[in-house]
């Protein structure tokens, strides 16, 4: 360390040390770029996703919604099986199947209802929750038909399932769920 004309201390760094420091910084930048390329999440089209907290929340919710739609399709098949006119098996088996279907519908509705929703996703969430609750009603109607196998109960369960299917079709067409 030396002093300048005014007596203040001056730090001198050789040009060679500055070049080495610059090369180290460039090397670190290249290394982090390569690591970032491998660990950065990508969307369905292979583009990197910018993970600002808001963007991540929206993407997480969108993926959850897509999962729930898959679960609704499974639930749809379960309900259709319960209300089918040509069911096989005894009353205990039918009742157990209907109860499991209702439990699946309840768990899915709770999962949708308890999920944190980003503000921009409120419209989709309302549509998702409404569809899920309609499937829950269809599952309840199917259980009612199993416990009281009358034609009017079967017709009611069938109508509720058709209503739920229509709502699911509208939900699947929601542009917000499409890949970005």
């Amino acid at each position: 360390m030396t002093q300048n004309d005014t007596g203040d201390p001056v730090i001198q760094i050789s040009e060679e040390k500055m070049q080495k420091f610059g090369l180290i910084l460039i090397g670190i930048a290249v290394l982090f770029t390569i690591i970032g390329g491998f660990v950065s999440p990508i969307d369905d089209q292979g583009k990197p996703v910018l993970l600002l907290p808001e963007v991540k929340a929206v993407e997480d919710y969108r993926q959850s919604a897509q999962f729930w739609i898959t679960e609704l399709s499974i639930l749809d098949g379960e309900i259709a099986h319960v209300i089918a006119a040509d069911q096989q098996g005894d009353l205990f088996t039918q009742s157990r199947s209907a109860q499991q279907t209702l439990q699946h519908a309840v768990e899915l509705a709770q999962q949708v209802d308890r999920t944190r929703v980003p503000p921009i996703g409120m419209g989709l969430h309302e549509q998702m929750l409404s569809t899920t609750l309609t499937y829950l009603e269809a599952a309840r109607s199917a259980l009612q038909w199993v416990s009281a196998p009358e034609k009017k109960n079967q017709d009611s369960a069938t109508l509720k399932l058709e209503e739920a299917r229509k709502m699911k079709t509208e939900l699947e067409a929601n542009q917000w769920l499409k890949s970005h």
Side-chain angles (χ1 to χ4, degrees), residues 9-149:
V10 176
I11 299 175
Q12 292 182 351
I13 301 175
S14 70
E15 189 175 324
E16 182 182 331
K17 286 183 180 180
M18 287 298 288
Q19 287 176 348
K20 285 182 183 179
F21 183 70
L23 288 174
I24 290 172
L25 285 178
I26 290 173
I28 290 172
V30 168
L31 179 66
F32 280 127
T33 301
I34 292 170
I35 291 172
F38 284 110
V39 299
S40 292
I42 54 174
D43 64 12
D44 298 336
Q45 298 169 345
K47 297 177 183 174
V49 176
L50 182 61
L51 289 182
L52 297 172
E54 301 85 23
V55 174
K56 182 169 181 355
V58 168
E59 185 61 21
D60 287 349
Y61 186 80
R62 190 177 70 82
Q63 289 176 358
S64 293
Q66 290 171 335
F67 170 77
W68 295 328
I69 288 173
T70 302
E71 285 296 306
L72 287 173
S73 296
I74 294 167
L75 184 60
D76 186 287
E78 293 171 358
I79 295 169
H81 175 74
V82 169
I83 62 177
D86 59 344
Q87 285 189 6
Q88 301 296 325
D90 58 34
L91 182 60
F92 175 75
T93 304
Q94 292 174 9
S95 176
R96 188 169 149 222
S97 177
Q99 288 174 357
Q100 287 174 340
T101 299
L102 180 62
Q103 183 62 35
H104 184 192
V106 167
E107 289 170 0
L108 185 57
Q110 287 174 340
Q111 191 177 32
V112 170
D113 188 46
R114 293 178 180 163
T115 298
R116 185 174 170 272
V117 183
I120 195 168
M122 291 305 290
L124 173 64
H125 185 71
E126 291 300 319
Q127 188 179 11
M128 177 67 71
L129 189 57
S130 178
T131 303
T132 304
L133 292 175
T134 303
Y135 269 100
L136 177 59
E137 285 301 313
R140 284 183 186 152
S141 293
L143 179 62
Q144 184 177 5
W145 178 75
V146 169
S147 63

